[in-house]
Structure formats: structure tokens, C-alpha cells
Amino acid sequence: MKQTMDKPKRYFRRHLKPIRRHLKPIRRHLSPIRSGDRIDYKNMSLISRFISEQGKILSGRVNRLTSKQQRLMTNAIKRARILSLLPFLYNEN
């Protein structure tokens, strides 16, 4: 009686993640707000960087802010508008 040795099946690579050769390397983006900057309705130089030319609040993806920073920035902008430090809309006329 002759025993045959089959080649072992290669299942061990199936669980590994594919190699990312064709993709761009992951870049960590730096936050535009430095550690010393305080998100506050009185800090107009900081707030004005996160408002469009029309007076709209820019999205967190455009601003590259974290969700917590975006939430604080939105509240600061709204508070500044209510206190008349910022206009609600910029008129082009």
C-alpha cells in the first residue's frame, strides 16, 4: 500500500491584510489650531480663519479640525454673531 503526500494547502496567508503598494502613504495632518490657541468667541483672528468669504462656517473636513474642535468653533462663531462681533452674512453690495 503506497501513501501519497499531498502538498499542504496555503491557507495561512488568507488572513493577512493585503500590502498597500498602490496606495499613497498615510499622512497625518496637523491641526490648524495650536496648543496655545484658545477657541473663544473673543478670539477674532482665530475665528475668521474658519469662516468662508460669504460668512458661512466651513466644515470640519475643510478645516481639518477634530469633531470636538469643530463643535467648539461652531459654538464660538455663533456666540460671536449673537454679540455682533461677526456679521451673519457678508453683503457684496
Side-chain angles (χ1 to χ4, degrees):
M1 192 165 176
K2 186 177 179 184
Q3 288 183 342
T4 58
M5 293 290 290
D6 292 330
K7 288 185 179 178
K9 295 183 179 177
R10 295 193 175 201
Y11 289 116
F12 64 93
R13 286 195 174 248
R14 192 173 284 176
H15 70 279
L16 297 176
K17 289 183 179 180
I19 298 172
R20 302 181 59 210
R21 287 187 184 135
H22 64 282
L23 298 176
K24 293 180 183 176
I26 297 173
R27 274 188 59 193
R28 300 200 69 160
H29 61 272
L30 298 173
S31 178
I33 297 177
R34 295 185 181 37
S35 61
D37 289 340
R38 187 170 163 83
I39 300 176
D40 194 21
Y41 69 94
K42 294 177 271 187
N43 193 350
M44 297 307 295
S45 61
L46 179 67
I47 287 179
S48 61
R49 290 191 296 181
F50 301 102
I51 297 177
S52 70
E53 296 155 356
Q54 300 167 348
K56 295 180 181 179
I57 301 172
L58 296 174
S59 69
R61 253 187 318 178
V62 174
N63 289 337
R64 298 176 306 170
L65 295 175
T66 63
S67 58
K68 183 177 181 179
Q69 289 173 337
Q70 179 69 18
R71 191 168 54 247
L72 291 171
M73 185 59 65
T74 301
N75 290 338
I77 291 170
K78 288 179 180 181
R79 187 168 287 159
R81 284 176 177 167
I82 290 171
L83 293 174
S84 300
L85 299 174
L86 275 177
F88 282 91
L89 291 174
Y90 289 111
N91 291 336
E92 295 181 12
N93 295 340

